[in-house]
C-alpha cells in the first residue's frame, strides 16, 4: 500500500497528504480487453470470470480534475453490462474517448476500471479546481459532464455526457480514481464510508425521474407504482415518493421483501408471487388487469406515475395501469430493451412516456442534501472487500440481494468515516441500517 493511502487511512491533514507522492500504480477491479468474447455462446455469463483485481497505472490528472482516494464503492447494473461485454464491449467507449485528444487518450487502455458510485478523500486537485481542496471528504456522482459544451448549460445531461466507470476509465473500484471536479459532492457527515458510497447513482436517478423538472414531476398525493420496491433504484424511489407527500405502491417478489419495504414506511405493497400471473407473467393483458385491480383495491385509484426500469417484462403492464393522463417514467430496461405495449391505452387515455437518463449536477447535489438531512436513507444491504468485487457483482447479476451492494476499497473495515455521530443518533440506526438487518 502506498504512503499516500496509509496517510488517508490515518486521517492525515492536507499538508501531510500533499507531502506524500502520488503513486504510479494502484490496485483496482477491472476487465481486460483481450477477454472480450469469452462469453460468446454461453447462457450463464458469470462476471466472476471477467472481473480481475490487480495493479493498473495512475493517469495524470487534467486541470479540471481531482484525484480521490476511494474508501468505499458500490455495485450498479452497468458494472454487469461492462463485465459481460454487452450490449457492446465498453472498450469501444474507451477507444472513442481516446480519439478526442490527449486527455481522452488516457482512458483508452487494455484494462477498464469499473464502478460508478464511491466515497473518499480528495488527495490532489488540478489547477482549474476551485470549490474542492485536498483533504475534503466527498462522494462522487457518475455524470461526466463537459462544462464547456453549450447543451450542458441547459441541463447537464448533454449529448457528450459520459457515465463514469462505464463510458470512461478509472472508475470507483480502485484505490484511487481521477474525476472531474463537477463530479464531487460533500459527503454526508453522519454516514460511514460504505453507506455514503451506496447512494448517488440510484438515488440521483430516482430523484430526476420523480422530482426533477425533466422527469414525472411528482406532486403531493400522487399515487406512484414502483417496480422492484427493494431494488437499487426502487428502494430510493419509495423513499422519495413518501418523503414528497406521494403514495408509493411497491411491487416486490417475495414476502420477505414485502416486509422490508413496509418497514421502510410503504403502506401499499404488492407481492407479485401472489398475483397468479400464469405462464406469460406480466406480459399478458389478463395480468395487466389483475395488477390494476390490485392497485385500486389498495389505494382506491389508478397510479398517477409508474416508476419503470425493468423494461420488456413490465412495460406493457405499466402503460396499461397508469391512469388517464398519467405518466410512465423510464430509465432503463434490465429485463430487455424491446418493449411491447398496447398503444390504444396510451393515446386514447392521453398518457405520457417520459425518458429519463442519469441526472445533472444540481439534481445530484439536491439528492445528496436530502440524504445529508436524514430525509432519505442508504439502502446498503451487503458489503464485500475489493478483492471480492467479482462476487459482489455476481450477487447483483443473479438478483441475490436487496437494496445496494457495497465494496470496501481503502477503508480498513466497515463503520468508519462518521463525522457527525450526534446527527446519526438523531436520525437513528434503525433507519440507517434497515437494509443491513
Amino acid at each position: 500500500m502506498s504512503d499516500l493511502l496509509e496517510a488517508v487511512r490515518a486521517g492525515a491533514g492536507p499538508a501531510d497528504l500533499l507531502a506524500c507522492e502520488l503513486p504510479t500504480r494502484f490496485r483496482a477491479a477491472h476487465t481486460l480487453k483481450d477477454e472480450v468474447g469469452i462469453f460468446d455462446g454461453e447462457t450463464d455469463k458469470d462476471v466472476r470470470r471477467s472481473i480481475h483485481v490487480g495493479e493498473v497505472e495512475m493517469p495524470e490528472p487534467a486541470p479540471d480534475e481531482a484525484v480521490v482516494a476511494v474508501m468505499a464503492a458500490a455495485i450498479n447494473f452497468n458494472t454487469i453490462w461492462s463485465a459481460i461485454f454487452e450490449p457492446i464491449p465498453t472498450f469501444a467507449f474507451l477507444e472513442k474517448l481516446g480519439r478526442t485528444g490527449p486527455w481522452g487518450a488516457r482512458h483508452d487502455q487494455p484494462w477498464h476500471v469499473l464502478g460508478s458510485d464511491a466515497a473518499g478523500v480528495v488527495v490532489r486537485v488540478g489547477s482549474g479546481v476551485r470549490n474542492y481542496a485536498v483533504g475534503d471528504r466527498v462522494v462522487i456522482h457518475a455524470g461526466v459532464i463537459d462544462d464547456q459544451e453549450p447543451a450542458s448549460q441547459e441541463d447537464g445531461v448533454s449529448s457528450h455526457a459520459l457515465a463514469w466507470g462505464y463510458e470512461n476509465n478509472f472508475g470507483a473500484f480502485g484505490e484511487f480514481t481521477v474525476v472531474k471536479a463537477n463530479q464531487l459532492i460533500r459527503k454526508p457527515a453522519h454516514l460511514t464510508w460504505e453507506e455514503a458510497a451506496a447512494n448517488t447513482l440510484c438515488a440521483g436517478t430516482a430523484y430526476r425521474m420523480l422530482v426533477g423538472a425533466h422527469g414525472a414531476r411528482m406532486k403531493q398525493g400522487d399515487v406512484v407504482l414502483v417496480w422492484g420496491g427493494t431494488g437499487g433504484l426502487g428502494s430510493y424511489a419509495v423513499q422519495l415518493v413518501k418523503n414528497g407527500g406521494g403514495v408509493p405502491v411497491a411491487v416486490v417478489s417475495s414476502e420477505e421483501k414485502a416486509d422490508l419495504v413496509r418497514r421502510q414506511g410503504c403502506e401499499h405493497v404488492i407481492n407479485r408471487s401472489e398475483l397468479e400471473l400464469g405462464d406469460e407473467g406480466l406480459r399478458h393483458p389478463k395480468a395487466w388487469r389483475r395488477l390494476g385491480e390490485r392497485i385500486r383495491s389498495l389505494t382506491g385509484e389508478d397510479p398517477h406515475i409508474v416508476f419503470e426500469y425493468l423494461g420488456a417484462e413490465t412495460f406493457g403492464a405499466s402503460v396499461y395501469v397508469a391512469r388517464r393522463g398519467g405518466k410512465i417514467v423510464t430509465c432503463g430496461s434490465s429485463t430487455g430493451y424491446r418493449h411491447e405495449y398496447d398503444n390504444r391505452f396510451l393515446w386514447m387515455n392521453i398518457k405520457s412516456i417520459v425518458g429519463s437518463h442519469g441526472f445533472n449536477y444540481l439534481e445530484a447535489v439536491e439528492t445528496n442534501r436530502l440524504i445529508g438531512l436524514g430525509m432519505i436513507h442508504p439502502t446498503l444491504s451487503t458489503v464485500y472487500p475489493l478483492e471480492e468485487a467479482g462476487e459482489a457483482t455476481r450477487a447483483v447479476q443473479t438478483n441475490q440481494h436487496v437494496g445496494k451492494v457495497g465494496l470496501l476499497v481503502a477503508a480498513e473495515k466497515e463503520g468508519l468515516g462518521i463525522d457527525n455521530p450526534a446527527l446519526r443518533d438523531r436520525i437513528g440506526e434503525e433507519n440507517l441500517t434497515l437494509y443491513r438487518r
Side-chain angles (χ1 to χ4, degrees), residues 302-319:
D302 295 323
H304 298 76
I305 300 168
V306 181
F307 185 88
E308 246 290 351
Y309 60 96
L310 297 182
E313 182 183 359
T314 57
F315 205 83
S318 295
V319 171

mmCIF file of all heavy atoms in Angstrom, residues 302-319:
data_model
loop_
_atom_site.group_PDB
_atom_site.id
_atom_site.type_symbol
_atom_site.label_atom_id
_atom_site.label_comp_id
_atom_site.label_asym_id
_atom_site.label_seq_id
_atom_site.Cartn_x
_atom_site.Cartn_y
_atom_site.Cartn_z
ATOM 1 N N ASP A 302 -56.117 4.615 -9.741
ATOM 2 C CA ASP A 302 -55.006 4.187 -10.585
ATOM 3 C C ASP A 302 -53.792 5.094 -10.351
ATOM 4 O O ASP A 302 -53.928 6.232 -9.891
ATOM 5 C CB ASP A 302 -55.403 4.244 -12.063
ATOM 6 C CG ASP A 302 -56.508 3.260 -12.406
ATOM 7 O OD1 ASP A 302 -56.491 2.146 -11.844
ATOM 8 O OD2 ASP A 302 -57.381 3.612 -13.229
ATOM 9 N N PRO A 303 -52.600 4.618 -10.689
ATOM 10 C CA PRO A 303 -51.393 5.414 -10.437
ATOM 11 C C PRO A 303 -51.304 6.654 -11.327
ATOM 12 O O PRO A 303 -51.577 6.601 -12.524
ATOM 13 C CB PRO A 303 -50.246 4.449 -10.764
ATOM 14 C CG PRO A 303 -50.846 3.095 -10.828
ATOM 15 C CD PRO A 303 -52.277 3.276 -11.202
ATOM 16 N N HIS A 304 -50.878 7.755 -10.720
ATOM 17 C CA HIS A 304 -50.540 8.950 -11.493
ATOM 18 C C HIS A 304 -49.222 8.736 -12.249
ATOM 19 O O HIS A 304 -49.050 9.245 -13.355
ATOM 20 C CB HIS A 304 -50.360 10.162 -10.574
ATOM 21 C CG HIS A 304 -51.570 10.564 -9.810
ATOM 22 N ND1 HIS A 304 -52.019 9.876 -8.694
ATOM 23 C CD2 HIS A 304 -52.427 11.601 -9.993
ATOM 24 C CE1 HIS A 304 -53.105 10.474 -8.220
ATOM 25 N NE2 HIS A 304 -53.377 11.524 -8.989
ATOM 26 N N ILE A 305 -48.306 7.991 -11.621
ATOM 27 C CA ILE A 305 -46.964 7.782 -12.166
ATOM 28 C C ILE A 305 -46.600 6.312 -12.014
ATOM 29 O O ILE A 305 -46.890 5.705 -10.973
ATOM 30 C CB ILE A 305 -45.922 8.649 -11.432
ATOM 31 C CG1 ILE A 305 -46.251 10.142 -11.576
ATOM 32 C CG2 ILE A 305 -44.499 8.361 -11.931
ATOM 33 C CD1 ILE A 305 -45.446 11.034 -10.642
ATOM 34 N N VAL A 306 -45.952 5.751 -13.025
ATOM 35 C CA VAL A 306 -45.359 4.415 -12.914
ATOM 36 C C VAL A 306 -43.851 4.577 -13.052
ATOM 37 O O VAL A 306 -43.362 5.135 -14.040
ATOM 38 C CB VAL A 306 -45.893 3.442 -13.970
ATOM 39 C CG1 VAL A 306 -45.247 2.064 -13.793
ATOM 40 C CG2 VAL A 306 -47.418 3.331 -13.876
ATOM 41 N N PHE A 307 -43.126 4.106 -12.058
ATOM 42 C CA PHE A 307 -41.663 4.199 -11.996
ATOM 43 C C PHE A 307 -41.088 2.948 -12.642
ATOM 44 O O PHE A 307 -41.112 1.867 -12.072
ATOM 45 C CB PHE A 307 -41.234 4.309 -10.530
ATOM 46 C CG PHE A 307 -39.764 4.521 -10.300
ATOM 47 C CD1 PHE A 307 -39.222 5.795 -10.271
ATOM 48 C CD2 PHE A 307 -38.914 3.447 -10.084
ATOM 49 C CE1 PHE A 307 -37.869 5.991 -10.027
ATOM 50 C CE2 PHE A 307 -37.568 3.626 -9.851
ATOM 51 C CZ PHE A 307 -37.041 4.906 -9.825
ATOM 52 N N GLU A 308 -40.582 3.092 -13.873
ATOM 53 C CA GLU A 308 -40.197 1.953 -14.715
ATOM 54 C C GLU A 308 -38.689 1.892 -14.948
ATOM 55 O O GLU A 308 -38.069 2.884 -15.303
ATOM 56 C CB GLU A 308 -40.869 2.088 -16.079
ATOM 57 C CG GLU A 308 -41.906 1.040 -16.412
ATOM 58 C CD GLU A 308 -41.352 -0.353 -16.650
ATOM 59 O OE1 GLU A 308 -40.139 -0.520 -16.724
ATOM 60 O OE2 GLU A 308 -42.162 -1.284 -16.768
ATOM 61 N N TYR A 309 -38.141 0.699 -14.752
ATOM 62 C CA TYR A 309 -36.752 0.471 -15.162
ATOM 63 C C TYR A 309 -36.510 -0.987 -15.514
ATOM 64 O O TYR A 309 -35.408 -1.361 -15.902
ATOM 65 C CB TYR A 309 -35.765 0.917 -14.073
ATOM 66 C CG TYR A 309 -35.927 0.205 -12.743
ATOM 67 C CD1 TYR A 309 -35.140 -0.903 -12.426
ATOM 68 C CD2 TYR A 309 -36.849 0.637 -11.806
ATOM 69 C CE1 TYR A 309 -35.277 -1.550 -11.208
ATOM 70 C CE2 TYR A 309 -36.993 0.002 -10.593
ATOM 71 C CZ TYR A 309 -36.206 -1.091 -10.289
ATOM 72 O OH TYR A 309 -36.364 -1.728 -9.076
ATOM 73 N N LEU A 310 -37.557 -1.828 -15.406
ATOM 74 C CA LEU A 310 -37.403 -3.251 -15.698
ATOM 75 C C LEU A 310 -37.532 -3.543 -17.191
ATOM 76 O O LEU A 310 -36.915 -4.480 -17.697
ATOM 77 C CB LEU A 310 -38.427 -4.066 -14.912
ATOM 78 C CG LEU A 310 -38.292 -3.981 -13.387
ATOM 79 C CD1 LEU A 310 -39.326 -4.876 -12.722
ATOM 80 C CD2 LEU A 310 -36.897 -4.356 -12.934
ATOM 81 N N GLY A 311 -38.348 -2.771 -17.905
ATOM 82 C CA GLY A 311 -38.358 -2.888 -19.351
ATOM 83 C C GLY A 311 -39.315 -3.914 -19.912
ATOM 84 O O GLY A 311 -40.515 -3.903 -19.629
ATOM 85 N N ALA A 312 -38.791 -4.848 -20.702
ATOM 86 C CA ALA A 312 -39.608 -5.743 -21.520
ATOM 87 C C ALA A 312 -40.652 -6.507 -20.713
ATOM 88 O O ALA A 312 -41.790 -6.678 -21.156
ATOM 89 C CB ALA A 312 -38.700 -6.728 -22.264
ATOM 90 N N GLU A 313 -40.312 -6.954 -19.527
ATOM 91 C CA GLU A 313 -41.227 -7.782 -18.746
ATOM 92 C C GLU A 313 -42.418 -6.991 -18.227
ATOM 93 O O GLU A 313 -43.523 -7.529 -18.098
ATOM 94 C CB GLU A 313 -40.485 -8.425 -17.567
ATOM 95 C CG GLU A 313 -41.361 -9.347 -16.740
ATOM 96 C CD GLU A 313 -40.640 -9.911 -15.530
ATOM 97 O OE1 GLU A 313 -39.448 -9.609 -15.342
ATOM 98 O OE2 GLU A 313 -41.282 -10.652 -14.759
ATOM 99 N N THR A 314 -42.239 -5.731 -17.923
ATOM 100 C CA THR A 314 -43.256 -4.974 -17.202
ATOM 101 C C THR A 314 -43.849 -3.803 -17.978
ATOM 102 O O THR A 314 -44.852 -3.233 -17.546
ATOM 103 C CB THR A 314 -42.665 -4.423 -15.888
ATOM 104 O OG1 THR A 314 -41.512 -3.607 -16.199
ATOM 105 C CG2 THR A 314 -42.249 -5.549 -14.966
ATOM 106 N N PHE A 315 -43.260 -3.422 -19.105
ATOM 107 C CA PHE A 315 -43.639 -2.160 -19.719
ATOM 108 C C PHE A 315 -45.082 -2.143 -20.211
ATOM 109 O O PHE A 315 -45.791 -1.132 -20.073
ATOM 110 C CB PHE A 315 -42.690 -1.815 -20.877
ATOM 111 C CG PHE A 315 -42.625 -0.351 -21.152
ATOM 112 C CD1 PHE A 315 -41.800 0.472 -20.410
ATOM 113 C CD2 PHE A 315 -43.406 0.221 -22.153
ATOM 114 C CE1 PHE A 315 -41.736 1.834 -20.650
ATOM 115 C CE2 PHE A 315 -43.346 1.578 -22.400
ATOM 116 C CZ PHE A 315 -42.515 2.392 -21.649
ATOM 117 N N GLY A 316 -45.551 -3.243 -20.772
ATOM 118 C CA GLY A 316 -46.946 -3.308 -21.198
ATOM 119 C C GLY A 316 -47.903 -3.096 -20.046
ATOM 120 O O GLY A 316 -48.904 -2.372 -20.166
ATOM 121 N N ALA A 317 -47.586 -3.711 -18.905
ATOM 122 C CA ALA A 317 -48.415 -3.535 -17.712
ATOM 123 C C ALA A 317 -48.357 -2.094 -17.228
ATOM 124 O O ALA A 317 -49.369 -1.525 -16.790
ATOM 125 C CB ALA A 317 -47.945 -4.484 -16.608
ATOM 126 N N SER A 318 -47.179 -1.477 -17.296
ATOM 127 C CA SER A 318 -47.028 -0.102 -16.825
ATOM 128 C C SER A 318 -47.890 0.861 -17.624
ATOM 129 O O SER A 318 -48.558 1.743 -17.064
ATOM 130 C CB SER A 318 -45.558 0.323 -16.914
ATOM 131 O OG SER A 318 -44.757 -0.433 -16.038
ATOM 132 N N VAL A 319 -47.877 0.701 -18.956
ATOM 133 C CA VAL A 319 -48.699 1.569 -19.795
ATOM 134 C C VAL A 319 -50.175 1.362 -19.497
ATOM 135 O O VAL A 319 -50.964 2.316 -19.447
ATOM 136 C CB VAL A 319 -48.390 1.315 -21.290
ATOM 137 C CG1 VAL A 319 -49.382 2.051 -22.185
ATOM 138 C CG2 VAL A 319 -46.963 1.739 -21.617
#
